[in-house]
Amino acid sequence: MAAAVEMLAIVAAIASGHLVAGFLTPTSSPFFAVGDAVVRLSPRPVVEFAKSAFGTADKPVLLAGIGVLLLAAAVAGGLAARRRPAPGTVLVVVLGVVGVAAVLGAPAVRPAGLAAPVVALLVGVAVQRGLHRRAVEAAADRPTGPPDDRDGPGEEDRDTAPVRRRTVLAGASAAVAVGSLVAGGAGAALASGRGLADSRAALTRRLAAARPSGPGPTVPASATFPGPGTVPFVTPNADFYRIDVALQVPAVPAEDWSLRIHGRVARELTLTMDDLLARPLVERIITMTCVSNPIGGHLVSTAVFTGVELAPLLREAGVDPGADQIVSTSRDGWTAGTPTATVLEPGRGALLAVGMNGEALPAEHGFPARMVVPGLYGYVSATKWVTELELTTFAERSAYWRDRGWAVRAPIKTQCRIDAPAGFARLAAGRVQVGGVAWAQPVGVAAVEVRADDGPWVPAELATEVGPDTWRMWRAELDLGPGSHTLQARATDRRGDTQTGQRADPVPDGATGWPSVLVTVT
């Protein structure tokens, strides 16, 4: 029972903190603040191991790991507090202080955010002390009256006292458990859905009415090679890859959002969503790529983004010629450093995006606004939930992933992927069709070649190019006899640069090598 008391105290503390955070500032939930601190303070080898071992499941794994550690601590603390509450109280206080420190150390901390961990600490101590007292009373196995009174009047009441005390303990424990469940659920609902669904729907309607200037982008039927194992040209929002460090998706209604452009500028600008939508909107089909994408990986997707040209906004602010870096900051404090010259480059098409595939940005992909800069890996160009753009220099300020050993500038490397046949597929002997996608933003793909078993390279057929900022579908046929075969592919961009076969890990500026799949032909 001692361990259960400690567990209930910790659960109550987490739930109450989550509820208060939901009302005030969701990122101040002590449970998630501790998780964010782990992500923020972990050394690079640990971060890279987590990403390679767990992929996009790294966040649930981290939160589950924290839960397991809390469970183990509760069991140890409960056992130490079987006779007196002090050891258990100390554990709750220590965990509470850790929560306070995590919130204080968060990049985007607000004064109101301290309320959540402080309330969590107080509730945890109160529950632990109260349940411990009732547990000690319930453990009494004899009446509390003097021995010579046991046969007198009221003996029956004294005999049932331990039963009543156990009933009170059970009721109190159940009340704490149910209350924690309700509080935690309410906090999660407040943090994730506080008007966000209505705000997204309203922004979607406004985008539909605004009609972007100029002809909208189209994807001709000849841009795809439909077939088993192939992907659609435009990735549905639900399937678009997601890589970020946010354990809790920031919930910012569009009507509450603003963007501050400051730093080395002639005039500081602050833009609301109304200000943004009053400007000409454009639509662009853009393929985005994560620097963590392994060779042949799927951390690459394509969408139709709606937004405002970023370069005119910066020119309106008056960029200092010496400001070679734009540090963009997310609502949760994450930062990215983007080369200013790349954003201002004529024809680059950098966007402050507010829409994705015909609707407002999904919450997980940056609602209400994010950056999209074609041709750069996302960690230096694609800040979601963006709230600030600071014009500065690379010498003056660093950003999140640069602090962890990744490259300062990160142009996307020419790459391709084999989508069909799948690895370890069993195929019939004869002509085998191989297909996939290739990308070389922002110059475009000029050629793709495939081969089997280190044989000669065979040119692939390319689908119609939609634009240099998008991937390009390809397919080829190879004659394969019975046995095991290794299929490889490589792409060449419009500059004439061919994808290198030398293998390299994603750190520090993107993986290199040729994708390959092993198949068996019978």
Side-chain angles (χ1 to χ4, degrees), residues 148-201:
D148 55 355
D149 288 343
R150 289 182 183 179
D151 295 328
E155 175 62 23
E156 182 178 350
D157 290 340
R158 288 195 299 271
D159 288 344
T160 59
V163 175
R164 288 199 303 271
R165 287 193 290 267
R166 286 192 292 271
T167 302
V168 170
L169 174 63
S173 300
V176 169
V178 172
S180 300
L181 182 63
V182 172
L190 287 168
S192 62
R194 190 168 48 189
L196 214 58
D198 291 342
S199 183
R200 283 195 67 243

Side-chain angles (χ1 to χ4, degrees), residues 134-445:
R134 287 174 172 81
V136 170
E137 292 174 351
D141 56 0
R142 61 183 180 181
T144 57
D148 55 355
D149 288 343
R150 289 182 183 179
D151 295 328
E155 175 62 23
E156 182 178 350
D157 290 340
R158 288 195 299 271
D159 288 344
T160 59
V163 175
R164 288 199 303 271
R165 287 193 290 267
R166 286 192 292 271
T167 302
V168 170
L169 174 63
S173 300
V176 169
V178 172
S180 300
L181 182 63
V182 172
L190 287 168
S192 62
R194 190 168 48 189
L196 214 58
D198 291 342
S199 183
R200 283 195 67 243
L203 183 55
T204 297
R205 290 192 295 269
R206 294 183 68 181
L207 293 177
R211 297 193 62 182
S213 59
T218 59
V219 179
S222 57
T224 62
F225 290 136
T230 60
V231 296
F233 191 89
V234 174
T235 310
N237 288 349
D239 298 331
F240 203 98
Y241 81 89
R242 178 195 168 194
I243 295 292
D244 53 57
V245 299
L247 296 179
Q248 193 173 27
V249 174
V252 187
E255 53 272 21
D256 296 339
W257 174 86
S258 64
L259 175 72
R260 180 184 175 216
I261 302 176
H262 64 108
R264 293 193 174 201
V265 296
R267 63 197 66 86
E268 184 173 313
L269 297 180
T270 299
L271 302 171
T272 65
M273 185 58 67
D274 288 339
D275 296 330
L276 210 61
L277 296 185
R279 296 169 181 267
L281 294 178
V282 297
E283 282 187 340
R284 291 207 172 92
I285 305 179
I286 298 172
T287 295
M288 295 182 64
T289 310
C290 180
V291 71
S292 297
N293 194 40
I295 296 301
H298 287 74
L299 298 181
V300 53
S301 302
T302 299
V304 182
F305 289 100
T306 304
V308 172
E309 294 269 11
L310 190 51
L313 292 178
L314 298 181
R315 293 193 183 98
E316 184 177 328
V319 177
D320 184 320
D324 61 359
Q325 179 183 212
I326 305 167
V327 174
S328 51
T329 302
S330 168
R331 176 61 179 262
D332 63 357
W334 186 85
T335 55
T338 309
T340 308
T342 301
V343 174
L344 295 177
E345 179 183 311
R348 174 66 66 157
L351 291 179
L352 190 61
V354 294
M356 182 175 176
N357 292 338
E359 62 183 63
L361 290 167
E364 296 81 1
H365 292 290
F367 178 83
R370 70 173 299 166
M371 283 180 62
V372 179
V373 183
L376 298 179
Y377 284 120
Y379 81 97
V380 298
S381 69
T383 302
K384 296 186 280 192
W385 316 292
V386 63
T387 58
E388 286 187 37
L389 299 178
E390 180 187 358
L391 276 297
T392 181
T393 68
F394 285 106
E396 290 175 343
R397 188 174 175 190
S398 186
Y400 185 90
W401 285 113
R402 179 183 169 189
D403 290 339
R404 286 152 180 80
W406 290 79
V408 175
R409 293 171 173 82
I412 293 174
K413 296 179 178 179
T414 299
Q415 296 284 340
C416 66
R417 184 181 74 204
I418 299 174
D419 288 333
F424 306 107
R426 300 185 69 85
L427 310 171
R431 300 286 286 179
V432 172
Q433 182 164 299
V434 185
V437 292
W439 55 91
Q441 310 97 301
V443 297
V445 174

Side-chain angles (χ1 to χ4, degrees), residues 110-135:
R110 300 177 182 180
L114 284 177
V118 170
V119 168
L121 192 158
L122 296 176
V123 169
V125 170
V127 170
Q128 192 270 343
R129 301 287 291 194
L131 289 183
H132 187 277
R133 177 171 53 83
R134 287 174 172 81

